[in-house]
């Protein structure tokens, strides 16, 4: 067992990954922090079932994958040298979060809302696309990925790209497992909401206010 662990650590160090298990623990805590992506997945599964929840989860995974790829390709440096681009994406992301929050609040005052406001008028767009947008319209995520990943990558090993890829895959696996738990929980919430419409509207309003809070924080930070 010790030999296998030492061999695994040796392979990771060869491609430039250091303190791998510290990275895993840190990633778990980061993924568990509530954010608009996880709330969107929960709301989608609670309002429309497991299948729609997984569509949203897949969108989050794809969006985060794109952000991590952009990070590895140097997008963080571009955002730092072009502050107007950074600010533009931030304001666009805040506006999108505000829109989703307002739609949720509207459904809170409608009978039979049942956590559906996110998709009331434009269902044909799909939860996958919206989840991708939620991930991409957050330029701070690129800067975060860079500042977090570099702590666990040894550039002297000469395989920084491969190290980023492996660490990115770890993040995606942990994130998808967590989102799956939210989807299962959301599906159970759906039954409760169907029996208690007032509770459903309260859920709509609470998530809507949280989305609006995320939008305000994105602008002010």
């Amino acid at each position: 067992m010790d030999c296998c662990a030492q061999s695994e650590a040796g392979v990771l160090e060869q491609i430039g990954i250091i303190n791998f298990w510290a990275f895993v623990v840190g990633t778990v805590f980061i993924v568990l922090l509530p954010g608009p992506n996880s709330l969107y997945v929960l709301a989608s599964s609670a309002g429309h079932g497991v299948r729609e929840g997984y569509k949203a989860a897949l969108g989050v995974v794809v969006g985060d994958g794109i952000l991590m790829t952009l990070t590895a390709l140097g997008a963080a440096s571009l955002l730092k040298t072009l502050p107007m681009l950074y600010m533009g994406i931030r304001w666009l992301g805040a506006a999108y979060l505000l829109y989703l929050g307002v739609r949720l609040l509207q459904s809170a005052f409608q009978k039979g809302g049942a956590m559906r406001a996110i998709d009331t008028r434009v269902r044909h767009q799909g939860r996958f696309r919206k989840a991708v947008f939620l991930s991409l319209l957050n330029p701070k995520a690129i800067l975060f990925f860079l500042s977090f990943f570099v702590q666990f990558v040894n550039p002297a090993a000469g395989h920084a790209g491969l190290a980023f890829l492996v660490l990115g895959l770890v993040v995606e696996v942990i994130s998808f497992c967590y989102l799956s738990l939210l989807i299962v929980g959301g599906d159970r919430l759906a039954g409760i909401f169907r029996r208690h419409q007032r509770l459903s509207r309260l859920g709509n309003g609470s998530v809507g206010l949280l989305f609006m809070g995320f939008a305000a924080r994105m602008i002010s930070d």
Side-chain angles (χ1 to χ4, degrees), residues 79-153:
L79 290 177
K80 288 180 179 179
T81 55
L82 296 175
M84 291 299 293
L85 175 62
Y86 176 78
M87 290 300 298
I89 298 175
R90 272 182 62 181
W91 279 91
L92 186 60
Y96 191 60
L97 281 171
L98 183 61
Y99 162 75
L100 293 179
V102 170
R103 295 296 297 151
L104 279 165
L105 279 178
Q106 286 179 342
S107 79
F109 295 98
Q110 297 171 355
K111 291 185 177 181
M115 298 292 285
R116 70 188 179 195
I118 293 178
D119 303 282
T120 300
R121 293 198 310 184
V122 281
R123 298 186 184 195
H124 63 280
Q125 287 187 359
R127 289 167 190 79
F128 172 82
R129 187 186 304 180
K130 291 180 182 178
V132 171
F133 285 159
L134 277 175
S135 294
L136 295 181
L137 294 178
N138 183 11
K140 289 192 294 183
I142 293 180
L143 301 179
F144 165 77
F145 282 133
L146 179 66
S147 62
F148 183 60
F149 277 34
V150 294
Q151 300 176 57
F152 304 95
V153 175

Side-chain angles (χ1 to χ4, degrees), residues 26-35 38 171 174-179:
T27 299
V28 169
F29 280 106
I30 291 167
V31 167
L32 289 177
L33 292 174
S38 57
V171 172
I174 293 174
S175 177
F176 188 77
C177 290
Y178 173 62
L179 293 177

Side-chain angles (χ1 to χ4, degrees), residues 162-181:
L162 180 58
F164 264 85
L165 174 62
V166 173
L167 294 179
L169 288 174
V170 171
V171 172
E172 294 286 48
V173 169
I174 293 174
S175 177
F176 188 77
C177 290
Y178 173 62
L179 293 177
S180 293
L181 291 176

